[in-house]
Coordinates of all heavy atoms in Angstrom, one line a residue:
R1295 N 15.7 -26.6 -0.1 CA 16.1 -25.1 -0.3 C 15.1 -24.5 -1.3 O 14.6 -23.4 -1.2 CB 17.5 -25.0 -0.7 CG 17.9 -23.6 -0.8 CD 19.4 -23.4 -0.9 NE 19.7 -22.0 -0.8 CZ 20.6 -21.4 -1.6 NH1 21.3 -22.1 -2.5 NH2 20.8 -20.1 -1.5
V1296 N 14.9 -25.2 -2.5 CA 14.0 -24.7 -3.5 C 12.6 -24.5 -3.0 O 11.9 -23.5 -3.2 CB 14.1 -25.6 -4.7 CG1 13.0 -25.2 -5.7 CG2 15.4 -25.5 -5.4
S1297 N 12.2 -25.5 -2.2 CA 10.8 -25.4 -1.6 C 10.7 -24.3 -0.6 O 9.7 -23.6 -0.6 CB 10.5 -26.7 -0.9 OG 10.4 -27.8 -1.8
T1298 N 11.7 -24.0 0.2 CA 11.7 -22.9 1.1 C 11.7 -21.6 0.3 O 10.9 -20.7 0.7 CB 13.0 -23.0 2.0 OG1 13.0 -24.2 2.7 CG2 13.0 -21.8 3.0
I1299 N 12.5 -21.5 -0.7 CA 12.4 -20.2 -1.5 C 11.1 -20.1 -2.2 O 10.5 -19.0 -2.2 CB 13.6 -20.3 -2.6 CG1 14.9 -20.2 -1.9 CG2 13.4 -19.2 -3.6 CD1 16.1 -20.5 -2.8
A1300 N 10.5 -21.1 -2.7 CA 9.2 -21.0 -3.4 C 8.1 -20.6 -2.4 O 7.3 -19.8 -2.7 CB 8.9 -22.4 -4.0
A1301 N 8.2 -21.2 -1.2 CA 7.2 -20.9 -0.2 C 7.3 -19.4 0.2 O 6.4 -18.7 0.4 CB 7.4 -21.8 1.1
G1302 N 8.6 -18.9 0.4 CA 8.8 -17.5 0.7 C 8.3 -16.6 -0.4 O 7.7 -15.6 -0.1
L1303 N 8.6 -16.9 -1.6 CA 8.0 -16.1 -2.7 C 6.5 -16.1 -2.7 O 5.9 -15.1 -3.0 CB 8.6 -16.6 -4.1 CG 10.1 -16.3 -4.3 CD1 10.6 -17.0 -5.6 CD2 10.4 -14.8 -4.3
L1304 N 5.9 -17.2 -2.5 CA 4.5 -17.3 -2.5 C 3.9 -16.4 -1.4 O 2.9 -15.7 -1.6 CB 4.0 -18.8 -2.3 CG 2.5 -19.0 -2.2 CD1 1.9 -18.6 -3.6 CD2 2.2 -20.5 -1.9
L1305 N 4.5 -16.5 -0.2 CA 4.0 -15.6 0.9 C 4.3 -14.1 0.5 O 3.4 -13.3 0.8 CB 4.8 -15.9 2.2 CG 4.3 -17.2 2.9 CD1 5.3 -17.5 4.1 CD2 2.9 -17.1 3.4
L1306 N 5.4 -13.8 -0.1 CA 5.7 -12.4 -0.4 C 4.7 -11.9 -1.4 O 4.2 -10.8 -1.2 CB 7.1 -12.4 -1.0 CG 7.6 -11.0 -1.6 CD1 7.7 -10.0 -0.4 CD2 8.9 -11.1 -2.3
F1307 N 4.3 -12.6 -2.4 CA 3.5 -12.1 -3.5 C 2.0 -12.3 -3.2 O 1.2 -11.7 -3.8 CB 3.8 -12.7 -4.8 CG 5.2 -12.3 -5.3 CD1 6.3 -13.1 -5.4 CD2 5.4 -10.9 -5.6 CE1 7.5 -12.7 -5.8 CE2 6.6 -10.5 -6.1 CZ 7.7 -11.3 -6.2
S1308 N 1.6 -13.2 -2.3 CA 0.2 -13.5 -2.0 C -0.5 -12.3 -1.4 O -1.7 -12.1 -1.6 CB 0.0 -14.7 -1.1 OG 0.6 -14.4 0.1
G1309 N 0.2 -11.4 -0.7 CA -0.4 -10.2 -0.1 C -0.4 -9.0 -1.0 O -1.0 -8.0 -0.7
Q1310 N 0.1 -9.1 -2.3 CA 0.1 -8.0 -3.1 C -1.2 -7.8 -3.9 O -1.8 -8.8 -4.3 CB 1.3 -8.1 -4.1 CG 2.6 -7.9 -3.4 CD 3.7 -7.7 -4.4 OE1 3.5 -7.8 -5.6 NE2 4.9 -7.5 -3.9
G1311 N -1.6 -6.6 -4.1 CA -2.8 -6.4 -4.9 C -2.7 -6.7 -6.3 O -1.6 -6.7 -6.9
Q1312 N -3.8 -7.2 -6.9 CA -3.7 -7.5 -8.3 C -4.3 -6.3 -9.1 O -5.0 -5.5 -8.6 CB -4.6 -8.7 -8.6 CG -4.2 -9.9 -7.9 CD -5.2 -11.1 -8.0 OE1 -6.0 -11.0 -8.9 NE2 -5.0 -12.1 -7.2
A1313 N -3.9 -6.2 -10.4 CA -4.4 -5.1 -11.2 C -5.9 -5.1 -11.2 O -6.5 -6.1 -11.3 CB -3.8 -5.2 -12.6
G1314 N -6.4 -3.9 -11.1 CA -7.9 -3.8 -11.1 C -8.6 -3.8 -9.7 O -9.8 -3.6 -9.7
E1315 N -7.8 -4.2 -8.7 CA -8.5 -4.2 -7.4 C -8.6 -2.8 -6.8 O -7.8 -2.0 -7.0 CB -7.6 -5.0 -6.4 CG -7.7 -6.5 -6.6 CD -6.9 -7.3 -5.5 OE1 -6.4 -6.6 -4.5 OE2 -6.8 -8.5 -5.7
L1316 N -9.7 -2.6 -6.2 CA -9.9 -1.3 -5.6 C -9.1 -1.2 -4.3 O -8.9 -2.1 -3.6 CB -11.4 -1.1 -5.2 CG -12.3 -0.9 -6.4 CD1 -13.8 -1.2 -6.0 CD2 -12.2 0.4 -7.1
P1317 N -8.5 0.0 -4.1 CA -7.6 0.2 -3.0 C -8.3 0.3 -1.6 O -8.4 1.4 -1.1 CB -6.8 1.5 -3.3 CG -7.9 2.3 -4.1 CD -8.6 1.2 -4.9
D1318 N -8.7 -0.9 -1.1 CA -9.5 -0.8 0.2 C -8.7 -0.3 1.3 O -9.2 0.2 2.3 CB -10.0 -2.2 0.5 CG -9.0 -3.3 0.7 OD1 -7.8 -3.0 0.4 OD2 -9.3 -4.4 1.1
W1319 N -7.4 -0.2 1.2 CA -6.5 0.4 2.3 C -6.7 1.9 2.4 O -6.3 2.5 3.3 CB -5.0 0.0 2.0 CG -4.6 0.3 0.6 CD1 -4.5 -0.6 -0.4 CD2 -4.2 1.6 0.1 NE1 -4.1 0.0 -1.6 CE2 -3.9 1.4 -1.3 CE3 -4.0 2.8 0.6 CZ2 -3.5 2.4 -2.1 CZ3 -3.6 3.9 -0.2 CH2 -3.3 3.6 -1.6
L1320 N -7.4 2.5 1.4 CA -7.7 3.9 1.4 C -8.9 4.2 2.3 O -9.1 5.4 2.7 CB -7.9 4.3 -0.1 CG -8.1 5.8 -0.4 CD1 -6.8 6.6 0.0 CD2 -8.3 5.9 -1.9
T1321 N -9.7 3.2 2.5 CA -11.0 3.4 3.3 C -10.8 4.0 4.6 O -9.8 3.6 5.4 CB -11.7 2.0 3.5 OG1 -11.9 1.4 2.2 CG2 -12.9 2.1 4.3
G1322 N -11.6 5.0 5.0 CA -11.5 5.6 6.3 C -11.8 7.0 6.3 O -12.0 7.7 5.2
E1323 N -11.6 7.6 7.4 CA -11.8 9.1 7.6 C -10.4 9.6 8.0 O -9.8 9.2 9.0 CB -12.8 9.3 8.8 CG -13.3 10.7 8.9 CD -14.4 10.9 9.9 OE1 -15.0 9.8 10.3 OE2 -14.6 12.0 10.3
W1324 N -9.9 10.5 7.2 CA -8.5 11.0 7.3 C -8.5 12.5 7.5 O -9.2 13.2 7.0 CB -7.7 10.6 6.0 CG -7.8 9.2 5.7 CD1 -8.7 8.5 4.9 CD2 -7.0 8.1 6.3 NE1 -8.4 7.2 4.9 CE2 -7.4 6.9 5.7 CE3 -6.0 8.2 7.2 CZ2 -6.8 5.7 6.1 CZ3 -5.4 7.0 7.6 CH2 -5.8 5.8 7.0
L1325 N -7.5 12.9 8.4 CA -7.4 14.3 8.7 C -5.9 14.8 8.8 O -5.1 14.1 9.4 CB -8.0 14.5 10.1 CG -7.9 15.9 10.8 CD1 -8.6 17.0 10.0 CD2 -8.4 15.9 12.2
Q1326 N -5.7 15.9 8.2 CA -4.4 16.6 8.4 C -4.7 18.0 9.0 O -5.5 18.7 8.5 CB -3.7 16.8 7.0 CG -2.4 17.6 7.2 CD -1.7 17.9 5.8 OE1 -1.0 17.1 5.4 NE2 -2.0 19.0 5.2
K1327 N -3.9 18.3 10.1 CA -4.1 19.6 10.7 C -2.7 20.3 10.7 O -1.7 19.6 11.1 CB -4.6 19.5 12.1 CG -6.1 19.1 12.1 CD -6.6 18.9 13.6 CE -6.9 20.3 14.1 NZ -7.6 20.4 15.3
R1328 N -2.7 21.5 10.3 CA -1.4 22.4 10.4 C -1.9 23.7 11.0 O -2.5 24.5 10.2 CB -0.8 22.5 9.1 CG -0.2 21.2 8.6 CD 0.6 21.5 7.3 NE 1.1 20.2 6.8 CZ 1.5 20.0 5.5 NH1 1.3 20.9 4.6 NH2 2.0 18.8 5.2
D1329 N -1.5 24.0 12.2 CA -2.0 25.2 12.9 C -3.5 25.2 12.8 O -4.1 24.3 13.2 CB -1.4 26.5 12.2 CG 0.1 26.5 12.3 OD1 0.7 26.1 13.4 OD2 0.8 26.8 11.3
D1330 N -4.1 26.3 12.3 CA -5.6 26.3 12.2 C -6.1 25.9 10.8 O -7.3 25.9 10.6 CB -6.1 27.7 12.5 CG -5.7 28.8 11.5 OD1 -4.7 28.6 10.8 OD2 -6.4 29.8 11.4
R1331 N -5.2 25.4 10.0 CA -5.6 24.8 8.7 C -5.9 23.3 8.8 O -5.1 22.6 9.5 CB -4.6 25.1 7.6 CG -4.4 26.6 7.3 CD -3.5 26.9 6.2 NE -2.2 26.3 6.5 CZ -1.1 27.0 6.9 NH1 -1.1 28.3 6.9 NH2 0.1 26.4 7.1
W1332 N -6.9 22.8 8.0 CA -7.2 21.4 8.1 C -7.6 20.9 6.7 O -8.1 21.7 5.9 CB -8.3 21.1 9.1 CG -9.4 22.0 9.0 CD1 -9.6 23.2 9.7 CD2 -10.6 21.9 8.1 NE1 -10.8 23.8 9.3 CE2 -11.4 23.1 8.4 CE3 -11.0 21.0 7.2 CZ2 -12.6 23.3 7.7 CZ3 -12.2 21.2 6.5 CH2 -13.0 22.3 6.8
T1333 N -7.4 19.7 6.4 CA -7.8 19.0 5.2 C -8.3 17.6 5.7 O -7.7 16.9 6.5 CB -6.7 18.8 4.2 OG1 -6.1 20.1 3.9 CG2 -7.2 18.1 2.9
E1334 N -9.5 17.2 5.1 CA -10.1 16.0 5.5 C -10.4 15.2 4.2 O -10.8 15.8 3.2 CB -11.4 16.2 6.2 CG -11.3 16.9 7.5 CD -12.6 17.3 8.1 OE1 -13.6 17.4 7.4 OE2 -12.6 17.4 9.4
E1335 N -10.3 13.9 4.2 CA -10.8 13.0 3.2 C -11.5 11.8 3.8 O -11.0 11.4 4.9 CB -9.7 12.5 2.3 CG -9.2 13.5 1.3 CD -8.5 12.9 0.1 OE1 -8.6 11.7 -0.2 OE2 -7.7 13.7 -0.5
V1336 N -12.6 11.4 3.2 CA -13.3 10.2 3.7 C -13.5 9.3 2.5 O -14.0 9.8 1.4 CB -14.7 10.6 4.3 CG1 -15.4 9.4 4.8 CG2 -14.5 11.6 5.5

């Protein structure tokens, strides 16, 4: 049971970003449109 909990915690925390990492999930070309108004970020 302890091993299962430890493995679960390891999986849970292994995908989390560490302090100082650049937010690569922000990468891309992004668009918001509302009627004829638009905002873009790349």
